[in-house]
Amino acid sequence: MKLCRFQQGPGRPRVGLVLDEHTILDLSAEGIDRLTSLFEFEGLAAQVDALARQNLPRLARASVTLLAPVEQQEVWAVGVTYLRSKTARMEESDFSATAYDRVYDAPRPELFFKALPAKVVGPGDAVGIRTDAKWNVPEPELALVINSRGHIAGYTIGNDMSSRDIEGENLLYLPQAKIYDRSCAVGPFVTIGASEAEARTWTISIAIERGAKRVFQGETSLGQIKRRFEELVAYLFRSQTFPHGAVLLTGTGVVPPDGFTLQAGDRVHINISGVGVLENPVVVV
Ligand code: DO4
Ligand code: MG
């Protein structure tokens, strides 16, 4: 089952259940107008299943604008969770190679703040590349949607846009490489009712288009993520509370070749087999 946040015309954001490719069930008609409150439900999938059987308005998918499924949640990210990410980063910087090598095997994962909710870009909106960076890449990532009690309520797609030349110059520049306008896209759907074991069977793929040409594509399995999802969430919630829950990007396992950098006008498509496709054009910010 997939949930979404959407808007129809100038109206307020609403909450929907995706019935099929063309149809959304408007859960707001049942008084549910925030995803965050749904994510707090115990037995979320059963409750949404019961809602789905009610006679609620059905909307054409083409008549709504999908929004990022993020309301007041901070977005955080984990790094170096795939072997591919570790090796790419060790090659990017002699200076930081030991840090990446160590964190991959250390008990404590690398966690970093990524975006305030108001700065998250939704489906179809532009992601950004920095004017002062020369090597910019998207990072396609599974995103965990976590409630205030630290339970994983669902899964969505995240793009952890990164400036690899800034990150590679000095590890202390990581926040500048990772956090800037339009550096984080999330959406379009939140898949609920799937276990971690099921999510680990999904594939994540990315395609980057430049005009009519596909300039990069790559794919991996979410089963390649080294750490268990609950372990990542437990570290995020150590000595830190999230009254509205949080979204946690789980790291990238698909890295474009070193000669590749994004350009304004490119289109990034990220597909997770159990979730859907997050598509964003690229602009310079
Ligand atoms: O430490 C660098 C960032 C790692 C990252 O974002 C990733 O592995 O996805
Ligand atoms: Mg990342």
Side-chain angles (χ1 to χ4, degrees):
M1 271 188 296
K2 296 178 191 181
L3 297 169
C4 65
R5 203 167 148 253
F6 68 91
Q7 202 163 7
Q8 209 174 27
R12 63 192 162 75
R14 290 191 251 166
V15 171
L17 174 68
V18 180
L19 293 181
D20 58 43
E21 210 185 319
H22 305 290
T23 326
I24 288 170
L25 193 70
D26 184 1
L27 300 184
S28 304
E30 193 54 29
I32 295 159
D33 53 8
R34 282 165 51 80
L35 279 172
T36 314
S37 34
L38 263 187
F39 297 150
E40 294 297 323
F41 287 0
E42 286 296 349
L44 172 61
Q47 302 223 33
V48 173
D49 199 35
L51 284 167
R53 276 182 255 120
Q54 304 212 19
N55 194 19
L56 299 177
R58 288 166 183 246
L59 308 176
R61 160 77 187 80
S63 71
V64 308
T65 304
L66 293 173
L67 306 173
V70 178
E71 287 155 347
Q72 286 170 284
Q73 299 97 324
E74 291 171 28
V75 181
W76 286 69
V78 199
V80 200
T81 46
Y82 292 81
L83 191 58
R84 177 72 188 104
S85 179
K86 178 183 96 149
T87 50
R89 286 187 159 90
M90 288 179 73
E91 284 159 18
E92 158 193 285
S93 165
D94 288 345
F95 183 82
S96 311
T98 319
Y100 292 124
D101 198 23
R102 283 195 189 178
V103 82
Y104 185 71
D105 288 317
R108 185 188 287 272
E110 175 198 10
L111 273 169
F112 57 92
F113 177 76
K114 181 66 188 176
L116 287 169
K119 296 185 98 178
V120 172
V121 164
D125 284 342
V127 288
I129 49 178
R130 296 181 61 116
T131 42
D132 62 350
K134 293 187 178 61
W135 185 13
N136 298 289
V137 295
E139 292 192 353
E141 306 192 5
L142 174 75
L144 308 177
V145 178
I146 308 159
N147 70 17
S148 67
R149 298 188 303 284
H151 297 162
I152 299 171
Y155 304 93
T156 186
I157 304 171
N159 182 350
D160 171 25
M161 292 286 290
S162 303
S163 302
R164 292 195 58 198
D165 53 335
I166 296 179
E167 167 190 289
E169 190 179 336
N170 188 322
L171 206 48
L172 296 177
Y173 296 155
L174 191 75
Q176 295 175 72
K178 295 283 191 181
I179 308 165
Y180 54 87
D181 286 349
R182 302 187 170 276
S183 68
C184 178
V186 176
F189 308 127
V190 178
T191 298
I192 58 168
S195 64
E196 171 165 348
E198 189 184 340
R200 282 183 173 275
T201 66
W202 297 341
T203 52
I204 182 164
S205 62
I206 182 165
I208 303 171
E209 267 143 27
R210 188 164 295 158
K213 217 170 138 198
R214 181 160 291 190
V215 287
F216 175 71
Q217 66 181 29
E219 176 179 306
T220 192
S221 162
L222 295 178
Q224 298 295 314
I225 298 176
K226 187 177 185 235
R227 299 175 191 260
R228 293 196 52 243
F229 301 162
E230 278 173 13
E231 174 194 341
L232 299 174
V233 175
Y235 269 99
L236 179 66
F237 275 66
R238 275 193 184 189
S239 298
Q240 189 167 211
T241 45
F242 294 94
H244 310 290
V247 174
L248 182 61
L249 277 50
T250 55
T252 190
V254 184
V255 183
D258 288 359
F260 178 86
T261 186
L262 284 170
Q263 291 177 11
D266 287 354
R267 293 195 75 83
V268 180
H269 308 253
I270 303 173
N271 187 328
I272 293 185
S273 50
V275 181
V277 182
L278 173 64
E279 192 187 326
N280 302 95
V282 177
V283 293
V284 176
V285 295

